């Protein structure tokens, strides 16, 4: 057989975990979904069905459970590092371990104005994410968020774009700007105050979006990314992705009515998808 | 042809609407998804393709847009009533109009500690719902919520159930109780302070869940429903539905570890589904 | 507490099952998803946390597995009946057992022009369904299908509907008619050749849809239902539900092009939803 | 501001298209979902809100519609090339146009044993896909399929893997092997008989899966990829991805029953995810 195995990787996806930490005065709750992917000397399993180097994906799942018991879980980043490091430390033939973690948001239920110590409600669609990649040479940490719905009802224009045979969209000075933000940022090092960095970037992205006088989705994306780099020195680079969740102004003229930017139809497809990566300028301070 | 048309109904589903109200100092935002269903004298369209009585579903969608412009939209209930009433008032051959509304949750972005006047973020998975049904004889309003994730890490037992050949589940005194609550309640009248009633019931359901010493999902459901009836006199009846979103304690014994209710696996299927309807006792006060 | 438990029911949902029957020359494969719901004397669990009458939903799942081993599984209907009958026979305080079954479609992979004896590929989105409801007085069987995508590119008109202030839709003599069919039919008895009946009705619905000169979705729905009643004497009543999966003709005039019903945009929301129930006329033959 | 725009790209996603070709004796139907992504000199829109180089994503959608009218659509590959070439030919500042296409499967309804000329039913979950990437220097075509469910009830073993503290999975000689196949292959050139190549590879993947005596998912993946390379000379490289859709044998011992590989529970998460890329060996014939 003259085919060559050019690349191979395998792992366990969607390992779901609920971790309760029982403090004296309250319980802490974390729910994570974890994807593990390994590279290394597994070729024999592909080419000859020789499984002697194979770590069963079921064992990877077990490893998540064991480490969740043996370690504290203060944030995604340190648990992801512990997991990735484990696979390289235990198995000499593993060359890369990558671990992706996503945290489901929970917040405490308020009872009589106080946070209740062991009852929680869903905190929204937004997920905090983390991707740890560890090789024998390097350890990299990327953090992020996804599915953060944001919308502003004004301060958004879009005009002056190319107008040719294929253009029917009108210029506008005032439209709704809605998106489902995904962000991912690279940390410079493998130590930082992960939760503080996350909160800083999260809040900076929200505030910049809210305040921005937008001339295009692209411009708002850029200013949000630049503000995030400015807010957290530990971050080297950030990528933002913004699907444009169009709200179309309804034409009410057939019914003898005007529509001063009050009634819109949200549409889900097709959608514009805008993406950009900003890097800290090595010649100066972001 | 000896077949009889025993029942027929039609309408427009998933009419999506974004409504911005531009106040002097801030913008208000509502996003709704609306399903309209009519009954009446439409049989000729089924049996003979005679469409002379048919209100095109596209026209129903237009009607939503027109009413959204012509009317304020303070809550689901009054907008749903306006829509349902419209169809009966305008079309003599309509005998029933039912309108279901669901509101997507948005909350204001906080900038420098203040709510920003025209920027919003997604408020979670939970949806406020409403079902209005209007006939020539009667107008009924049911309100509710759905997809409210709630979880408590303790104060939940399940023991003493039937134990026979088909039973393998162990008794437990301390388990995680997680569910995705759906609730729907019937109002006595067609006038009430809808937003206040909703907030009252919503908060009562959350507080009762948090505080409950649960002997079964059924018991917690019952006490939550009874508390809701107690909190809001305008409500006649409430139905709660609770899928049991099991969190299974991981067996760590094979790895030489104990697991004092700390590490769990969330499962999505199969799931227990518990439901109950509570009615105000006409002989007394709930 | 002056609240009354007006209604209660509980059960296990989404019990998933893979059943392999190892014949001498081939393997047969069935994959089902089963929802079980019981009514009966369970009120004590709701009102007092007394679980002594509770059949754990985990035990219901076990029961599915045991019966899947102890019984053949020739069709949804007989397995659903066996399950529902089991709950009434074993537990004297159960008054109603309803079992809903849905079958995931698999078909054999063809190798060198022959069906391979133990390899399968997904058979589509369409699911065969069945709902069995058994009480101490009555046993009822409803069968059906769901998620059957059907589309015709011509022989569909829609004209002559009400035209008033709220109407903007134009009459058309030739449009695309696409829907996602759900059908459910009641059998007269609890014995029949279930697979043959299903195949007859399934094929009759498809053929009638294909051949129909449609004046409205309503009319096509009616003729499909009447044809199904005509094809299978064992069926008393049939309900069809048809969401109108609109394909909108694209306006190419801004680009100097005509569009003779060739380029369309499929839309998913909003959608018309048409439903009707046909019953066999007791005075004659359908 | 000392942030650098390191990378940027944008486009239109989920442009949905229904294309009917009205032949004399029958209608042909294609439904596609198309994602367009451009790279080029768009930085001014990000950094200064200068949209003068921006092709509105709405115009990209219009372009799809215009080309769908002006061109035949015999296969994804030639339509994708036409689209990608268009953007480079019309806009001098575009450096890369990538177009991803996915085709929803439809097949003709059979009436009285004959394929009906203009009525269709859904053809399954499987989608044919294509990715075209065109720069000023190069044109690349990748084709593929996704969401192809395949399952074999025997001829699958998994044994001899690493056994250590983290291993609880037992060796097995006979398990169910189920996956949701994604495949993508690179063509050597930009001309080929695309439909014939697709059919060849599709059938080769199915047949190899069916016949394989599997020692691991990895091995079956490898042999399927090698067979695909062997079947179609136009293909340089193929990547297969196989999520292991585990079917767990149910333990019926608590109920006094054996389970000779007959009753299984399908699980959806977590799942093993196996991936591999095979390249034609340049030293010989695959």
């Amino acid at each position: 057989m003259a085919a060559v195995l050019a690349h191979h990787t395998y792992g366990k996806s969607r390992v779901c975990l609920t971790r309760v930490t029982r403090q004296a005065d309250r319980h802490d709750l974390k729910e994570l979904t974890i994807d593990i992917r390994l590279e290394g000397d597994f070729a024999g399993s592909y080419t000859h069905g020789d499984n002697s180097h194979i770590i069963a994906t079921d064992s990877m799942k077990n490893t998540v459970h064991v480490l969740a018991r043996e370690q504290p879980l203060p944030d995604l980043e340190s648990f992801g590092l512990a997991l990735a490091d484990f696979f390289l430390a235990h198995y000499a033939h593993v060359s890369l371990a990558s671990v992706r973690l996503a945290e489901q948001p929970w917040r405490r239920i308020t009872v009589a104005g106080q946070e209740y110590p062991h009852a929680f409600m869903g905190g929204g669609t937004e997920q905090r994410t983390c991707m740890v990649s560890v090789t024998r040479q390097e350890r990299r940490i990327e953090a992020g968020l996804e599915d953060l719905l944001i919308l502003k009802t004004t301060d958004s224009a879009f005009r002056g774009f190319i107008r040719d045979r294929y253009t029917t969209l009108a210029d506008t000075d005032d439209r709704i700007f809605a998106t489902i933000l995904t962000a991912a940022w690279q940390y410079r090092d493998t130590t930082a105050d992960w939760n503080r960095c996350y909160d800083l970037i999260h809040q900076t992205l929200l505030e910049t979006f809210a305040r921005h006088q937008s001339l295009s989705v692209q411009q708002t994306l850029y200013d949000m990314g630049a503000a995030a780099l400015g807010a957290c020195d530990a971050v080297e680079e950030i990528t933002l992705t913004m699907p444009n969740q169009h709200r179309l102004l309804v034409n009410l003229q057939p019914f003898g009515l005007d529509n001063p930017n009050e009634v819109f139809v949200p549409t889900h497809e097709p959608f514009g998808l805008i993406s950009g990566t900003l890097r800290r300028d090595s010649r100066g301070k972001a």
Side-chain angles (χ1 to χ4, degrees), chain A residues 203-271:
Chain A
Q203 183 60 21
T204 301
L205 292 171
L206 285 176
E207 292 202 6
T208 309
F209 173 78
R211 287 176 144 150
H212 200 249
Q213 302 286 331
S214 176
L215 297 174
S216 67
V217 174
Q218 283 87 344
Q219 190 205 19
T220 303
L221 181 153
Y222 182 83
D223 285 3
M224 289 167 68
L229 289 179
C232 182
D233 282 344
V235 173
E236 279 292 275
E237 184 182 300
I238 185 166
T239 297
L240 301 179
T241 304
M242 292 191 174
N244 198 346
Q245 299 290 291
H246 310 280
R247 266 65 179 170
L248 307 179
L249 190 69
V250 178
N251 176 16
L252 295 175
Q253 286 185 353
F255 317 109
L257 297 170
D258 66 348
N259 187 359
N261 269 1
E262 296 215 340
V263 180
F264 300 82
V265 171
T267 65
H268 300 297
E269 61 186 27
F271 59 88

